[in-house]
Amino acid sequence: MFKFKQFHVNQDRCAMKIGTDGVLLGAWTPLINNPCNVLDIGAGTGILSLMLAQRSNAEQIDAIEINEDAYEQCVENFEASPWGDKLFCFHAGLDEFVDEPEDEYDLIISNPPFYTDDYKSDNTSRDLARFENALPFEELIEAAALLLSDNGIFSVIIPYKEEERFVAMCKELDLFPLKITRVKGTTTSEIKRSLLAFCRMEQTPLIDELVIEISRHNYTPEYIELTKEFYLKM
């Protein structure tokens, strides 16, 4: 079990455990449009949905998860949370979900599987959760373009090396960067991740950088400020 300040998450049945990427995305995602409904694509444990339930006034948060074990655990985590009445998880692939869209969403969020290299491990469920061929960027972006409301925000975290390609693919479907934050482990390390938020209106995006640690377990004030509502020891 992973305990946060206002909820806990069981993750023993999920291939992808809770990590910095998910917490960063859940805490960073802009809520400037005060979303009424949210879609979490590839929910895993449900961590993003739970964080957004804590942060926002959204009346409905839908999550989709294709893996049966992860889906069942996500439902359990939702039901055990203070926001069980507005959290819903669907056991479906994105292609199935998009085939019969019932709603547009003010916020679409995803921590997509993204290793595009050919390497695969011996753990099939982890590979499915981790490798981009389980959810190609193209499919994710097309779904966001289809399901996002006029003033909606589409928010993801991806490897920095994929940022330029991802932004270009979004622009082809008239999704434009609103905010970009590039993430480094320490001041001297390379940029590893890009937090990206898109909207339907073309504008000059806000671009900044986030450093996580000054030294091992000595976190920067910016990272503490971002995550303090969630981590117990922040």
Side-chain angles (χ1 to χ4, degrees):
M1 184 189 292
F2 201 106
K3 288 190 174 183
F4 292 93
K5 285 183 176 173
Q6 292 191 36
F7 61 91
H8 67 266
V9 173
N10 288 314
Q11 55 180 352
D12 55 292
R13 298 173 66 188
C14 293
M16 292 312 301
K17 307 305 183 190
I18 289 170
T20 304
D21 284 5
V23 176
L24 274 174
L25 180 61
W28 173 90
T29 291
L31 301 178
I32 52 174
N33 61 338
N34 195 22
C36 182
N37 59 354
V38 176
L39 177 63
D40 175 3
I41 298 175
T45 60
I47 176 67
L48 292 176
S49 295
L50 290 159
M51 292 180 74
L52 289 168
Q54 179 181 322
R55 285 185 60 209
S56 77
N57 297 313
E59 295 170 9
Q60 180 174 337
I61 299 176
D62 291 340
I64 58 175
E65 174 52 54
I66 193 170
N67 178 276
E68 186 168 1
D69 283 339
Y71 157 74
E72 290 176 358
Q73 188 141 64
C74 183
V75 170
E76 290 167 7
N77 288 333
F78 284 178
E79 289 175 348
S81 79
W83 313 283
D85 58 336
K86 63 180 181 181
L87 292 160
F88 305 93
C89 191
F90 298 91
H91 185 207
L94 183 56
D95 52 348
E96 301 168 67
F97 193 82
V98 167
D99 274 347
E100 300 177 18
E102 294 183 10
D103 292 301
E104 288 187 330
Y105 292 92
D106 299 325
L107 176 61
I108 297 176
I109 191 167
S110 184
N111 176 8
F114 50 56
Y115 281 139
T116 51
D117 311 279
D118 293 332
Y119 170 79
K120 285 183 167 56
S121 73
D122 294 328
N123 184 330
T124 306
S125 59
R126 185 177 172 83
D127 284 349
L128 185 65
R130 204 60 168 136
F131 285 92
E132 199 208 343
N133 60 14
L135 177 58
F137 285 162
E138 289 86 350
E139 190 178 328
L140 177 62
I141 294 165
E142 285 171 8
L146 177 70
L147 298 171
L148 200 65
S149 65
D150 288 345
N151 70 332
I153 290 172
F154 170 43
S155 182
V156 296
I157 184 167
I158 60 170
Y160 172 63
K161 67 177 183 177
E162 301 284 359
E163 179 190 303
E164 190 175 334
R165 178 170 78 99
F166 197 94
V167 169
M169 289 164 63
C170 283
K171 279 186 178 177
E172 286 179 11
L173 293 177
D174 295 327
L175 294 172
F176 305 100
L178 170 71
K179 184 180 180 185
I180 297 173
T181 297
R182 295 169 182 142
V183 183
K184 299 168 73 168
T186 66
T187 51
T188 56
S189 59
E190 295 179 354
I191 298 170
K192 285 288 177 67
R193 296 282 183 268
S194 292
L195 289 155
L196 306 172
F198 298 88
C199 62
R200 293 195 184 277
M201 189 172 69
E202 193 164 9
Q203 61 204 282
T204 303
L206 172 66
I207 300 175
D208 60 12
E209 198 171 273
L210 174 69
V211 178
I212 295 175
E213 290 180 321
I214 299 163
S215 56
R216 188 69 176 149
H217 298 311
N218 178 15
Y219 298 104
T220 63
E222 293 79 13
Y223 183 72
I224 292 169
E225 181 62 28
L226 187 63
T227 61
K228 67 182 182 183
E229 298 302 318
F230 298 98
Y231 282 134
L232 292 175
K233 294 180 179 178
M234 289 295 188

